Amino acid sequence: MTGQKITLKYVLYGILAVFFTWIIHEFVHWATSQLLGYESIMRINGVSPADGENPSNLDKIIISASGPIVTILQGLIVFILLEFRNWNKYLYLFLFTAFYMRFLAGLMNFLNPNDEGRISSFLGIGTFTLPIIVSGLLFLMVYKISKKYDLKWKFQLWTTLIVMVVSSILILADQFLGIKIL
């Protein structure tokens, strides 16, 4: 039987998983921008060029791709660990958060293209092609692990709520407070 009890420790790990996933995702965008020679500003939920910086279209695509690539790698590493080792509900949070983050970003393309949506548009394959592929891939990983360990609906619901609430707090804090990290 897999441990699926929701405890305070699980909630705290959920908070950690969301913060880690968001910060590493945005940090990689920022680092890529810096490595390409552009000064940029990193916030909790976004990276933007500093005043006067205007990356080329190709550099914008490279910067846009870097964050999702790291998030996909996070999901893949956790998937492999869960697939070939024993169940770890705390580790599962890092897979689920990667899926949730990219799925939510895909939905946000209806309002404003971001990351995969920008890359899809740049490649001329439609705004939603890459977001659907990335979200689908991460969903398949979540689904396969959920099936393998017979994860119950209550566990999945609580995991979703924890990730959703913490993600929403991060996103709203960024929108209203605009906290500059780097």
Side-chain angles (χ1 to χ4, degrees), residues 93-127:
L93 282 160
F94 289 86
L95 172 59
F96 189 87
T97 301
F99 158 68
Y100 180 82
M101 178 192 217
R102 300 325 310 150
F103 179 73
L104 181 62
L107 292 177
M108 292 296 107
N109 284 306
F110 282 108
L111 302 174
N112 187 26
N114 62 65
D115 293 347
E116 296 96 322
R118 278 193 298 267
I119 299 164
S120 264
S121 292
F122 177 79
L123 295 174
I125 57 175
T127 303

PDB file of all heavy atoms in Angstrom, residues 93-127:
ATOM      1  N   LEU A  93       5.014  15.158  -5.609  1.00  0.00           N
ATOM      2  CA  LEU A  93       4.623  16.568  -5.687  1.00  0.00           C
ATOM      3  C   LEU A  93       5.422  17.327  -6.750  1.00  0.00           C
ATOM      4  O   LEU A  93       4.897  18.230  -7.401  1.00  0.00           O
ATOM      5  CB  LEU A  93       4.815  17.242  -4.323  1.00  0.00           C
ATOM      6  CG  LEU A  93       3.736  16.960  -3.288  1.00  0.00           C
ATOM      7  CD1 LEU A  93       4.249  17.244  -1.897  1.00  0.00           C
ATOM      8  CD2 LEU A  93       2.487  17.776  -3.596  1.00  0.00           C
ATOM      9  N   PHE A  94       6.694  16.967  -6.941  1.00  0.00           N
ATOM     10  CA  PHE A  94       7.534  17.656  -7.919  1.00  0.00           C
ATOM     11  C   PHE A  94       7.158  17.276  -9.354  1.00  0.00           C
ATOM     12  O   PHE A  94       7.308  18.087 -10.263  1.00  0.00           O
ATOM     13  CB  PHE A  94       9.013  17.379  -7.634  1.00  0.00           C
ATOM     14  CG  PHE A  94       9.499  18.059  -6.389  1.00  0.00           C
ATOM     15  CD1 PHE A  94       9.352  17.449  -5.146  1.00  0.00           C
ATOM     16  CD2 PHE A  94      10.073  19.314  -6.448  1.00  0.00           C
ATOM     17  CE1 PHE A  94       9.782  18.086  -3.991  1.00  0.00           C
ATOM     18  CE2 PHE A  94      10.508  19.964  -5.297  1.00  0.00           C
ATOM     19  CZ  PHE A  94      10.352  19.345  -4.063  1.00  0.00           C
ATOM     20  N   LEU A  95       6.658  16.074  -9.558  1.00  0.00           N
ATOM     21  CA  LEU A  95       6.135  15.678 -10.867  1.00  0.00           C
ATOM     22  C   LEU A  95       4.806  16.365 -11.126  1.00  0.00           C
ATOM     23  O   LEU A  95       4.597  16.958 -12.182  1.00  0.00           O
ATOM     24  CB  LEU A  95       5.972  14.152 -10.943  1.00  0.00           C
ATOM     25  CG  LEU A  95       5.255  13.602 -12.182  1.00  0.00           C
ATOM     26  CD1 LEU A  95       5.982  13.987 -13.469  1.00  0.00           C
ATOM     27  CD2 LEU A  95       5.089  12.087 -12.078  1.00  0.00           C
ATOM     28  N   PHE A  96       3.911  16.309 -10.150  1.00  0.00           N
ATOM     29  CA  PHE A  96       2.591  16.904 -10.331  1.00  0.00           C
ATOM     30  C   PHE A  96       2.696  18.414 -10.542  1.00  0.00           C
ATOM     31  O   PHE A  96       1.996  18.979 -11.386  1.00  0.00           O
ATOM     32  CB  PHE A  96       1.678  16.592  -9.131  1.00  0.00           C
ATOM     33  CG  PHE A  96       0.269  17.007  -9.382  1.00  0.00           C
ATOM     34  CD1 PHE A  96      -0.612  16.144 -10.010  1.00  0.00           C
ATOM     35  CD2 PHE A  96      -0.177  18.272  -9.032  1.00  0.00           C
ATOM     36  CE1 PHE A  96      -1.913  16.537 -10.281  1.00  0.00           C
ATOM     37  CE2 PHE A  96      -1.473  18.677  -9.302  1.00  0.00           C
ATOM     38  CZ  PHE A  96      -2.346  17.806  -9.921  1.00  0.00           C
ATOM     39  N   THR A  97       3.585  19.066  -9.789  1.00  0.00           N
ATOM     40  CA  THR A  97       3.747  20.517  -9.939  1.00  0.00           C
ATOM     41  C   THR A  97       4.272  20.876 -11.320  1.00  0.00           C
ATOM     42  O   THR A  97       3.823  21.864 -11.921  1.00  0.00           O
ATOM     43  CB  THR A  97       4.676  21.079  -8.841  1.00  0.00           C
ATOM     44  OG1 THR A  97       4.109  20.776  -7.566  1.00  0.00           O
ATOM     45  CG2 THR A  97       4.845  22.586  -8.975  1.00  0.00           C
ATOM     46  N   ALA A  98       5.195  20.099 -11.851  1.00  0.00           N
ATOM     47  CA  ALA A  98       5.699  20.351 -13.214  1.00  0.00           C
ATOM     48  C   ALA A  98       4.553  20.263 -14.219  1.00  0.00           C
ATOM     49  O   ALA A  98       4.419  21.127 -15.100  1.00  0.00           O
ATOM     50  CB  ALA A  98       6.801  19.351 -13.567  1.00  0.00           C
ATOM     51  N   PHE A  99       3.720  19.225 -14.086  1.00  0.00           N
ATOM     52  CA  PHE A  99       2.553  19.101 -14.978  1.00  0.00           C
ATOM     53  C   PHE A  99       1.626  20.296 -14.802  1.00  0.00           C
ATOM     54  O   PHE A  99       1.238  20.939 -15.784  1.00  0.00           O
ATOM     55  CB  PHE A  99       1.778  17.799 -14.703  1.00  0.00           C
ATOM     56  CG  PHE A  99       0.362  17.866 -15.185  1.00  0.00           C
ATOM     57  CD1 PHE A  99       0.077  17.925 -16.543  1.00  0.00           C
ATOM     58  CD2 PHE A  99      -0.683  17.906 -14.281  1.00  0.00           C
ATOM     59  CE1 PHE A  99      -1.236  18.030 -16.994  1.00  0.00           C
ATOM     60  CE2 PHE A  99      -1.992  18.011 -14.720  1.00  0.00           C
ATOM     61  CZ  PHE A  99      -2.273  18.071 -16.080  1.00  0.00           C
ATOM     62  N   TYR A 100       1.252  20.611 -13.564  1.00  0.00           N
ATOM     63  CA  TYR A 100       0.303  21.694 -13.309  1.00  0.00           C
ATOM     64  C   TYR A 100       0.813  23.024 -13.855  1.00  0.00           C
ATOM     65  O   TYR A 100       0.070  23.776 -14.492  1.00  0.00           O
ATOM     66  CB  TYR A 100       0.016  21.813 -11.805  1.00  0.00           C
ATOM     67  CG  TYR A 100      -0.966  22.912 -11.500  1.00  0.00           C
ATOM     68  CD1 TYR A 100      -2.326  22.692 -11.630  1.00  0.00           C
ATOM     69  CD2 TYR A 100      -0.530  24.176 -11.117  1.00  0.00           C
ATOM     70  CE1 TYR A 100      -3.242  23.715 -11.381  1.00  0.00           C
ATOM     71  CE2 TYR A 100      -1.430  25.201 -10.863  1.00  0.00           C
ATOM     72  CZ  TYR A 100      -2.782  24.961 -10.989  1.00  0.00           C
ATOM     73  OH  TYR A 100      -3.677  25.979 -10.752  1.00  0.00           O
ATOM     74  N   MET A 101       2.099  23.300 -13.648  1.00  0.00           N
ATOM     75  CA  MET A 101       2.676  24.560 -14.099  1.00  0.00           C
ATOM     76  C   MET A 101       2.578  24.710 -15.615  1.00  0.00           C
ATOM     77  O   MET A 101       2.172  25.749 -16.128  1.00  0.00           O
ATOM     78  CB  MET A 101       4.134  24.668 -13.676  1.00  0.00           C
ATOM     79  CG  MET A 101       4.818  25.936 -14.153  1.00  0.00           C
ATOM     80  SD  MET A 101       6.597  25.844 -13.940  1.00  0.00           S
ATOM     81  CE  MET A 101       6.945  27.531 -13.484  1.00  0.00           C
ATOM     82  N   ARG A 102       2.940  23.664 -16.347  1.00  0.00           N
ATOM     83  CA  ARG A 102       2.921  23.754 -17.807  1.00  0.00           C
ATOM     84  C   ARG A 102       1.495  23.719 -18.346  1.00  0.00           C
ATOM     85  O   ARG A 102       1.192  24.336 -19.357  1.00  0.00           O
ATOM     86  CB  ARG A 102       3.773  22.654 -18.447  1.00  0.00           C
ATOM     87  CG  ARG A 102       5.240  22.675 -18.066  1.00  0.00           C
ATOM     88  CD  ARG A 102       5.897  24.045 -17.847  1.00  0.00           C
ATOM     89  NE  ARG A 102       5.688  25.008 -18.915  1.00  0.00           N
ATOM     90  CZ  ARG A 102       5.635  26.323 -18.722  1.00  0.00           C
ATOM     91  NH1 ARG A 102       5.775  26.855 -17.525  1.00  0.00           N
ATOM     92  NH2 ARG A 102       5.436  27.132 -19.743  1.00  0.00           N
ATOM     93  N   PHE A 103       0.595  22.998 -17.678  1.00  0.00           N
ATOM     94  CA  PHE A 103      -0.812  22.988 -18.085  1.00  0.00           C
ATOM     95  C   PHE A 103      -1.422  24.381 -17.898  1.00  0.00           C
ATOM     96  O   PHE A 103      -2.084  24.903 -18.790  1.00  0.00           O
ATOM     97  CB  PHE A 103      -1.587  21.935 -17.281  1.00  0.00           C
ATOM     98  CG  PHE A 103      -3.046  21.884 -17.616  1.00  0.00           C
ATOM     99  CD1 PHE A 103      -3.473  21.332 -18.818  1.00  0.00           C
ATOM    100  CD2 PHE A 103      -3.992  22.386 -16.742  1.00  0.00           C
ATOM    101  CE1 PHE A 103      -4.823  21.283 -19.142  1.00  0.00           C
ATOM    102  CE2 PHE A 103      -5.345  22.348 -17.055  1.00  0.00           C
ATOM    103  CZ  PHE A 103      -5.761  21.797 -18.254  1.00  0.00           C
ATOM    104  N   LEU A 104      -1.173  24.973 -16.736  1.00  0.00           N
ATOM    105  CA  LEU A 104      -1.681  26.321 -16.466  1.00  0.00           C
ATOM    106  C   LEU A 104      -1.104  27.330 -17.459  1.00  0.00           C
ATOM    107  O   LEU A 104      -1.831  28.184 -17.978  1.00  0.00           O
ATOM    108  CB  LEU A 104      -1.354  26.732 -15.028  1.00  0.00           C
ATOM    109  CG  LEU A 104      -1.849  28.109 -14.584  1.00  0.00           C
ATOM    110  CD1 LEU A 104      -3.371  28.172 -14.642  1.00  0.00           C
ATOM    111  CD2 LEU A 104      -1.351  28.406 -13.171  1.00  0.00           C
ATOM    112  N   ALA A 105       0.191  27.230 -17.735  1.00  0.00           N
ATOM    113  CA  ALA A 105       0.814  28.128 -18.714  1.00  0.00           C
ATOM    114  C   ALA A 105       0.162  27.951 -20.081  1.00  0.00           C
ATOM    115  O   ALA A 105      -0.053  28.930 -20.810  1.00  0.00           O
ATOM    116  CB  ALA A 105       2.314  27.858 -18.801  1.00  0.00           C
ATOM    117  N   GLY A 106      -0.164  26.704 -20.425  1.00  0.00           N
ATOM    118  CA  GLY A 106      -0.850  26.450 -21.699  1.00  0.00           C
ATOM    119  C   GLY A 106      -2.205  27.133 -21.758  1.00  0.00           C
ATOM    120  O   GLY A 106      -2.576  27.725 -22.775  1.00  0.00           O
ATOM    121  N   LEU A 107      -2.947  27.080 -20.662  1.00  0.00           N
ATOM    122  CA  LEU A 107      -4.250  27.758 -20.618  1.00  0.00           C
ATOM    123  C   LEU A 107      -4.088  29.272 -20.718  1.00  0.00           C
ATOM    124  O   LEU A 107      -4.915  29.945 -21.338  1.00  0.00           O
ATOM    125  CB  LEU A 107      -4.995  27.398 -19.333  1.00  0.00           C
ATOM    126  CG  LEU A 107      -5.478  25.962 -19.200  1.00  0.00           C
ATOM    127  CD1 LEU A 107      -6.133  25.750 -17.836  1.00  0.00           C
ATOM    128  CD2 LEU A 107      -6.436  25.595 -20.324  1.00  0.00           C
ATOM    129  N   MET A 108      -3.040  29.801 -20.131  1.00  0.00           N
ATOM    130  CA  MET A 108      -2.809  31.248 -20.157  1.00  0.00           C
ATOM    131  C   MET A 108      -2.537  31.769 -21.569  1.00  0.00           C
ATOM    132  O   MET A 108      -2.669  32.961 -21.825  1.00  0.00           O
ATOM    133  CB  MET A 108      -1.651  31.629 -19.228  1.00  0.00           C
ATOM    134  CG  MET A 108      -1.942  31.443 -17.757  1.00  0.00           C
ATOM    135  SD  MET A 108      -3.266  32.510 -17.165  1.00  0.00           S
ATOM    136  CE  MET A 108      -4.589  31.339 -16.949  1.00  0.00           C
ATOM    137  N   ASN A 109      -2.200  30.859 -22.481  1.00  0.00           N
ATOM    138  CA  ASN A 109      -1.987  31.276 -23.868  1.00  0.00           C
ATOM    139  C   ASN A 109      -3.249  31.850 -24.502  1.00  0.00           C
ATOM    140  O   ASN A 109      -3.166  32.551 -25.500  1.00  0.00           O
ATOM    141  CB  ASN A 109      -1.444  30.104 -24.706  1.00  0.00           C
ATOM    142  CG  ASN A 109       0.011  29.846 -24.428  1.00  0.00           C
ATOM    143  OD1 ASN A 109       0.837  30.738 -24.528  1.00  0.00           O
ATOM    144  ND2 ASN A 109       0.326  28.621 -24.063  1.00  0.00           N
ATOM    145  N   PHE A 110      -4.408  31.555 -23.927  1.00  0.00           N
ATOM    146  CA  PHE A 110      -5.649  32.173 -24.411  1.00  0.00           C
ATOM    147  C   PHE A 110      -5.621  33.674 -24.171  1.00  0.00           C
ATOM    148  O   PHE A 110      -6.215  34.442 -24.926  1.00  0.00           O
ATOM    149  CB  PHE A 110      -6.878  31.565 -23.728  1.00  0.00           C
ATOM    150  CG  PHE A 110      -7.285  30.234 -24.274  1.00  0.00           C
ATOM    151  CD1 PHE A 110      -7.081  29.084 -23.532  1.00  0.00           C
ATOM    152  CD2 PHE A 110      -7.862  30.125 -25.532  1.00  0.00           C
ATOM    153  CE1 PHE A 110      -7.455  27.837 -24.024  1.00  0.00           C
ATOM    154  CE2 PHE A 110      -8.244  28.893 -26.034  1.00  0.00           C
ATOM    155  CZ  PHE A 110      -8.042  27.747 -25.285  1.00  0.00           C
ATOM    156  N   LEU A 111      -4.942  34.108 -23.099  1.00  0.00           N
ATOM    157  CA  LEU A 111      -4.866  35.525 -22.754  1.00  0.00           C
ATOM    158  C   LEU A 111      -3.633  36.201 -23.331  1.00  0.00           C
ATOM    159  O   LEU A 111      -3.709  37.328 -23.823  1.00  0.00           O
ATOM    160  CB  LEU A 111      -4.866  35.694 -21.224  1.00  0.00           C
ATOM    161  CG  LEU A 111      -6.068  35.122 -20.489  1.00  0.00           C
ATOM    162  CD1 LEU A 111      -5.870  35.227 -18.980  1.00  0.00           C
ATOM    163  CD2 LEU A 111      -7.338  35.832 -20.922  1.00  0.00           C
ATOM    164  N   ASN A 112      -2.498  35.511 -23.225  1.00  0.00           N
ATOM    165  CA  ASN A 112      -1.239  36.100 -23.663  1.00  0.00           C
ATOM    166  C   ASN A 112      -0.231  34.970 -23.892  1.00  0.00           C
ATOM    167  O   ASN A 112       0.115  34.280 -22.945  1.00  0.00           O
ATOM    168  CB  ASN A 112      -0.722  37.061 -22.583  1.00  0.00           C
ATOM    169  CG  ASN A 112       0.479  37.830 -23.028  1.00  0.00           C
ATOM    170  OD1 ASN A 112       0.695  38.064 -24.209  1.00  0.00           O
ATOM    171  ND2 ASN A 112       1.294  38.242 -22.067  1.00  0.00           N
ATOM    172  N   PRO A 113       0.227  34.779 -25.133  1.00  0.00           N
ATOM    173  CA  PRO A 113       1.166  33.678 -25.380  1.00  0.00           C
ATOM    174  C   PRO A 113       2.409  33.761 -24.495  1.00  0.00           C
ATOM    175  O   PRO A 113       2.978  34.823 -24.293  1.00  0.00           O
ATOM    176  CB  PRO A 113       1.546  33.860 -26.855  1.00  0.00           C
ATOM    177  CG  PRO A 113       0.396  34.577 -27.452  1.00  0.00           C
ATOM    178  CD  PRO A 113      -0.107  35.504 -26.356  1.00  0.00           C
ATOM    179  N   ASN A 114       2.773  32.607 -23.917  1.00  0.00           N
ATOM    180  CA  ASN A 114       3.985  32.547 -23.098  1.00  0.00           C
ATOM    181  C   ASN A 114       4.732  31.265 -23.411  1.00  0.00           C
ATOM    182  O   ASN A 114       4.158  30.309 -23.894  1.00  0.00           O
ATOM    183  CB  ASN A 114       3.640  32.648 -21.610  1.00  0.00           C
ATOM    184  CG  ASN A 114       2.785  31.511 -21.125  1.00  0.00           C
ATOM    185  OD1 ASN A 114       3.221  30.365 -21.125  1.00  0.00           O
ATOM    186  ND2 ASN A 114       1.558  31.806 -20.725  1.00  0.00           N
ATOM    187  N   ASP A 115       5.995  31.258 -23.165  1.00  0.00           N
ATOM    188  CA  ASP A 115       6.879  30.105 -23.328  1.00  0.00           C
ATOM    189  C   ASP A 115       6.519  29.230 -24.531  1.00  0.00           C
ATOM    190  O   ASP A 115       6.784  29.625 -25.660  1.00  0.00           O
ATOM    191  CB  ASP A 115       6.957  29.300 -22.032  1.00  0.00           C
ATOM    192  CG  ASP A 115       7.650  30.076 -20.909  1.00  0.00           C
ATOM    193  OD1 ASP A 115       8.280  31.113 -21.204  1.00  0.00           O
ATOM    194  OD2 ASP A 115       7.574  29.644 -19.748  1.00  0.00           O
ATOM    195  N   GLU A 116       5.909  28.057 -24.298  1.00  0.00           N
ATOM    196  CA  GLU A 116       5.624  27.144 -25.406  1.00  0.00           C
ATOM    197  C   GLU A 116       4.727  27.777 -26.464  1.00  0.00           C
ATOM    198  O   GLU A 116       4.866  27.509 -27.649  1.00  0.00           O
ATOM    199  CB  GLU A 116       4.965  25.848 -24.898  1.00  0.00           C
ATOM    200  CG  GLU A 116       5.845  25.021 -23.996  1.00  0.00           C
ATOM    201  CD  GLU A 116       5.579  25.279 -22.520  1.00  0.00           C
ATOM    202  OE1 GLU A 116       5.334  26.436 -22.144  1.00  0.00           O
ATOM    203  OE2 GLU A 116       5.635  24.303 -21.743  1.00  0.00           O
ATOM    204  N   GLY A 117       3.793  28.630 -26.033  1.00  0.00           N
ATOM    205  CA  GLY A 117       2.901  29.306 -26.980  1.00  0.00           C
ATOM    206  C   GLY A 117       3.655  30.248 -27.909  1.00  0.00           C
ATOM    207  O   GLY A 117       3.396  30.296 -29.112  1.00  0.00           O
ATOM    208  N   ARG A 118       4.615  30.997 -27.350  1.00  0.00           N
ATOM    209  CA  ARG A 118       5.441  31.888 -28.177  1.00  0.00           C
ATOM    210  C   ARG A 118       6.280  31.093 -29.159  1.00  0.00           C
ATOM    211  O   ARG A 118       6.429  31.460 -30.322  1.00  0.00           O
ATOM    212  CB  ARG A 118       6.352  32.746 -27.289  1.00  0.00           C
ATOM    213  CG  ARG A 118       5.703  33.965 -26.705  1.00  0.00           C
ATOM    214  CD  ARG A 118       6.727  34.920 -26.101  1.00  0.00           C
ATOM    215  NE  ARG A 118       7.473  34.346 -24.996  1.00  0.00           N
ATOM    216  CZ  ARG A 118       7.134  34.458 -23.725  1.00  0.00           C
ATOM    217  NH1 ARG A 118       6.039  35.105 -23.394  1.00  0.00           N
ATOM    218  NH2 ARG A 118       7.882  33.929 -22.783  1.00  0.00           N
ATOM    219  N   ILE A 119       6.845  29.978 -28.673  1.00  0.00           N
ATOM    220  CA  ILE A 119       7.689  29.148 -29.544  1.00  0.00           C
ATOM    221  C   ILE A 119       6.844  28.546 -30.662  1.00  0.00           C
ATOM    222  O   ILE A 119       7.246  28.556 -31.828  1.00  0.00           O
ATOM    223  CB  ILE A 119       8.388  28.031 -28.725  1.00  0.00           C
ATOM    224  CG1 ILE A 119       9.297  28.654 -27.661  1.00  0.00           C
ATOM    225  CG2 ILE A 119       9.181  27.106 -29.631  1.00  0.00           C
ATOM    226  CD1 ILE A 119       9.724  27.686 -26.575  1.00  0.00           C
ATOM    227  N   SER A 120       5.668  28.041 -30.323  1.00  0.00           N
ATOM    228  CA  SER A 120       4.759  27.476 -31.325  1.00  0.00           C
ATOM    229  C   SER A 120       4.411  28.507 -32.393  1.00  0.00           C
ATOM    230  O   SER A 120       4.418  28.201 -33.587  1.00  0.00           O
ATOM    231  CB  SER A 120       3.460  26.993 -30.662  1.00  0.00           C
ATOM    232  OG  SER A 120       3.499  25.636 -30.376  1.00  0.00           O
ATOM    233  N   SER A 121       4.084  29.714 -31.951  1.00  0.00           N
ATOM    234  CA  SER A 121       3.751  30.779 -32.902  1.00  0.00           C
ATOM    235  C   SER A 121       4.946  31.107 -33.784  1.00  0.00           C
ATOM    236  O   SER A 121       4.811  31.273 -34.998  1.00  0.00           O
ATOM    237  CB  SER A 121       3.293  32.035 -32.156  1.00  0.00           C
ATOM    238  OG  SER A 121       2.066  31.808 -31.529  1.00  0.00           O
ATOM    239  N   PHE A 122       6.127  31.215 -33.175  1.00  0.00           N
ATOM    240  CA  PHE A 122       7.351  31.516 -33.911  1.00  0.00           C
ATOM    241  C   PHE A 122       7.612  30.457 -34.983  1.00  0.00           C
ATOM    242  O   PHE A 122       8.031  30.768 -36.100  1.00  0.00           O
ATOM    243  CB  PHE A 122       8.534  31.593 -32.946  1.00  0.00           C
ATOM    244  CG  PHE A 122       9.864  31.837 -33.612  1.00  0.00           C
ATOM    245  CD1 PHE A 122      10.217  33.117 -34.025  1.00  0.00           C
ATOM    246  CD2 PHE A 122      10.768  30.803 -33.814  1.00  0.00           C
ATOM    247  CE1 PHE A 122      11.443  33.357 -34.634  1.00  0.00           C
ATOM    248  CE2 PHE A 122      11.993  31.030 -34.428  1.00  0.00           C
ATOM    249  CZ  PHE A 122      12.336  32.314 -34.841  1.00  0.00           C
ATOM    250  N   LEU A 123       7.359  29.192 -34.645  1.00  0.00           N
ATOM    251  CA  LEU A 123       7.575  28.091 -35.590  1.00  0.00           C
ATOM    252  C   LEU A 123       6.451  27.963 -36.625  1.00  0.00           C
ATOM    253  O   LEU A 123       6.550  27.170 -37.551  1.00  0.00           O
ATOM    254  CB  LEU A 123       7.719  26.760 -34.837  1.00  0.00           C
ATOM    255  CG  LEU A 123       8.943  26.649 -33.923  1.00  0.00           C
ATOM    256  CD1 LEU A 123       8.888  25.360 -33.121  1.00  0.00           C
ATOM    257  CD2 LEU A 123      10.236  26.740 -34.731  1.00  0.00           C
ATOM    258  N   GLY A 124       5.382  28.736 -36.432  1.00  0.00           N
ATOM    259  CA  GLY A 124       4.269  28.714 -37.375  1.00  0.00           C
ATOM    260  C   GLY A 124       3.401  27.467 -37.278  1.00  0.00           C
ATOM    261  O   GLY A 124       2.768  27.068 -38.253  1.00  0.00           O
ATOM    262  N   ILE A 125       3.348  26.867 -36.072  1.00  0.00           N
ATOM    263  CA  ILE A 125       2.545  25.641 -35.920  1.00  0.00           C
ATOM    264  C   ILE A 125       1.327  25.861 -35.026  1.00  0.00           C
ATOM    265  O   ILE A 125       0.708  24.902 -34.557  1.00  0.00           O
ATOM    266  CB  ILE A 125       3.406  24.468 -35.384  1.00  0.00           C
ATOM    267  CG1 ILE A 125       4.063  24.822 -34.058  1.00  0.00           C
ATOM    268  CG2 ILE A 125       4.462  24.057 -36.406  1.00  0.00           C
ATOM    269  CD1 ILE A 125       4.827  23.671 -33.398  1.00  0.00           C
ATOM    270  N   GLY A 126       0.961  27.100 -34.808  1.00  0.00           N
ATOM    271  CA  GLY A 126      -0.194  27.409 -33.968  1.00  0.00           C
ATOM    272  C   GLY A 126       0.214  27.593 -32.526  1.00  0.00           C
ATOM    273  O   GLY A 126       1.089  26.894 -32.023  1.00  0.00           O
ATOM    274  N   THR A 127      -0.432  28.504 -31.865  1.00  0.00           N
ATOM    275  CA  THR A 127      -0.076  28.869 -30.498  1.00  0.00           C
ATOM    276  C   THR A 127      -0.185  27.702 -29.521  1.00  0.00           C
ATOM    277  O   THR A 127       0.567  27.627 -28.555  1.00  0.00           O
ATOM    278  CB  THR A 127      -0.977  30.032 -30.010  1.00  0.00           C
ATOM    279  OG1 THR A 127      -0.825  31.127 -30.923  1.00  0.00           O
ATOM    280  CG2 THR A 127      -0.619  30.482 -28.621  1.00  0.00           C
TER     281      THR A 127
END
